[in-house]
Amino acid sequence: MVKLLPLASLKPLRELSLWDVLDLMREILGKGYVNECLKVNGNLEVSESLELYWALHRLGVKFAPVGYGKCYFTLEDLGFYDDVKGDPVRVYGDSLDLALRGIPTPLVKLKSYSNERVRVWAKLEWFNPFSLSIKDKPLTYILKEASRRVSLEGRVLTDASSGNFGVALAAVAPLFKAKARIYLPRRAELYGRLVPKVMGAEVVETDAELTVELLSRIIEDSRREGLVHVNQFLNDLNFESHIRMTAKELDYQARTANLKLVAVTGSLGTSGHMAALNFYFRSRYGEHFKTIMAQPARGERIPGMRRSETGMIWFTMIAEGFELHDVTLAEALKAVERVARIDGLLIGPSGGAALVALEKSMGREDLEGDVAVVIPDTGFKYLDMISELIKHMG
C-alpha cells in the first residue's frame, strides 16, 4: 500500500549532504515526478531510502510517497509549490512569519528593457522585509534550519557582510533570542554600518578589502569565543534556500502567468542564488535554458558583487549553459537611471549590472521569449551613488 505522508512527520536516521543528493535532485526536477517510495518503520523512521528523503527535503516538497507497491507521483502531487504560493490575505503572526510566508516577491515586466523579441521581467527582491534584499532568504532559512538542531537562545551569531546580509542578520538574530556580530570590510556601505547598530548588533569595522578575506578571522573568533558562524559563503543552506525559495517562486510565477522563460539573469556575489537558478531551471526545463550573469569588471567595485575568481563554491556547479559579462559601475548606474526614468522603479546597482549583462546578450538571435532578471535590492540604499549619477547627467 502506498500513501502520501507529510514529509515533516518522517524521521531520517541520518543526514545526507546537499552534494550527496544533487544528482537525484536534478533527476527529479527533470522528470517532474518520482516513481520510488520511501520505506519507513512503525515509528516513521527512514533508513533504506535516505537519498530520496533528503532529495525531497532539499527540494521542499510537502508530502512524500511512503509504502510498497506501484509508485508514481508528480511534483504537484507532492505539494512542490505549496510553500511559495504565499498568503492571499497577507496576515502574519510575526515578522519572521512574514519573511517565510510573505512570498513570492513580485515579478514585473520592464518597459525599459523589453522589446518585440525579449520580454524582460524583474523579480523585485527588496520586498523581503528585513534587509529589503534577497539576503533575507538565505539568512532566515539558515537560522530556521540551525534552530531545529540546537538552541540559538543566548548565542552570538556572526558573519562578514558589506551590507545586506549583515542587516538581515542583525534584524533576525533577536527573533531567535540571540545577538549578532557583523564584521565589515573597509568599504562597506553606509547603511551596512549604521542599520545593524540600530537593531542592536555589534559592528566590527576592519581594513579588509573583501568580505571573504574576513573568514579566517571570524572562524578563529568563533572557535575562541563560542560564536555561531552563519557563513553565507560556504554554508550549503545558502544554495538550498534559493532552490526552495527564489527558483521555485520564479518557476511557480512563470507557470501561473503562462510565461515561457528562456533565461534568467542576475549578478554574482556569493553565487548562491545564481548557481541555484542555473541548477533548478536547466534541470527542470533542459539544457537550452540560459543563465546570464554579471560580475564587476576588473578594478571596478559594485556593492554586493564579486568576480568569479575570488572564490565561490557554488559557482563550480555552473559548468555550462551560462554567459558571464564584465560590467562597470558606470554601466550599472546608467541601467539604474534607465529603469527609474521609464519604469519608475529605483533599483540597486547590482540589479543594474544584471540588466547590463542581459542587454549585452539581447542582440543574439537565439535569445527570444521571456527572461527573468533578479533585482537583489533597492537603490534607495545607495544615495551616495545616486548623487554621483545625478552630477554626471547631461
Side-chain angles (χ1 to χ4, degrees), residues 33-273:
Y33 64 85
V34 296
N35 54 359
E36 176 187 354
C37 286
L38 292 171
K39 309 299 187 296
V40 301
N41 61 23
N43 295 322
L44 297 183
E45 294 174 329
V46 184
S47 58
E48 297 181 28
S49 319
L50 284 170
E51 187 177 5
L52 177 59
Y53 171 87
W54 284 108
L56 294 176
H57 171 83
R58 298 186 190 285
L59 288 173
V61 302
K62 185 175 182 179
F63 302 103
V66 174
Y68 296 85
K70 185 177 181 181
C71 183
Y72 178 90
F73 294 94
T74 66
L75 286 174
E76 287 79 2
D77 294 333
L78 302 181
F80 181 61
Y81 294 110
D82 285 8
D83 58 350
V84 296
K85 291 181 178 179
D87 180 356
V89 183
R90 295 184 65 80
V91 176
Y92 307 99
D94 56 31
S95 56
L96 185 58
D97 188 35
L98 166 62
L100 296 173
R101 295 196 303 116
I103 54 177
T105 51
L107 192 65
V108 58
K109 187 177 179 182
L110 294 183
K111 294 180 181 179
S112 52
Y113 280 86
S114 298
N115 58 36
E116 293 181 354
R117 296 181 64 251
V118 180
R119 295 169 295 280
V120 179
W121 300 84
K123 188 157 177 59
L124 305 181
E125 290 297 313
W126 71 70
F127 278 77
N128 291 296
F130 295 120
S131 64
L132 309 185
S133 85
I134 196 171
K135 292 296 187 178
D136 280 15
K137 286 177 173 173
L139 189 278
T140 53
Y141 189 76
I142 289 170
L143 293 190
K144 184 184 70 171
E145 291 296 308
S147 68
R148 290 176 178 171
R149 294 171 171 81
V150 297
S151 173
L152 300 178
E153 185 173 349
R155 305 292 298 277
V156 177
L157 315 180
T158 190
D159 211 348
S161 170
S162 60
N164 286 324
F165 195 84
V167 172
L169 180 56
V172 177
L175 303 182
F176 289 88
K177 299 181 179 180
K179 296 181 179 181
R181 180 189 295 178
I182 317 299
Y183 291 77
L184 298 177
R186 182 171 63 85
R187 294 188 292 183
E189 296 304 311
L190 180 61
Y191 76 88
R193 298 176 186 275
L194 299 181
V195 176
K197 293 180 181 178
V198 174
M199 294 178 169
E202 177 188 355
V203 174
V204 180
E205 300 191 25
T206 76
D207 292 327
E209 288 294 324
L210 297 174
T211 49
V212 290
E213 295 173 7
L214 293 166
L215 285 181
S216 59
R217 174 178 175 179
I218 296 173
I219 291 170
E220 175 58 28
D221 287 355
S222 298
R223 183 195 62 78
R224 185 178 63 254
E225 302 179 43
L227 312 178
V228 177
H229 184 195
V230 178
N231 203 349
Q232 62 168 317
F233 304 98
L234 298 175
N235 191 331
D236 285 332
L237 292 176
N238 181 335
F239 174 89
E240 188 175 317
S241 73
H242 291 298
I243 292 286
R244 294 185 60 165
M245 296 180 183
T246 315
K248 197 192 300 188
E249 281 180 38
L250 179 55
D251 187 22
Y252 172 71
Q253 289 171 301
R255 290 162 69 96
T256 303
N258 293 316
L259 307 183
K260 305 299 181 185
L261 287 183
V262 297
V264 65
T265 307
S267 53
L268 279 180
T270 65
S271 80
H273 76 275

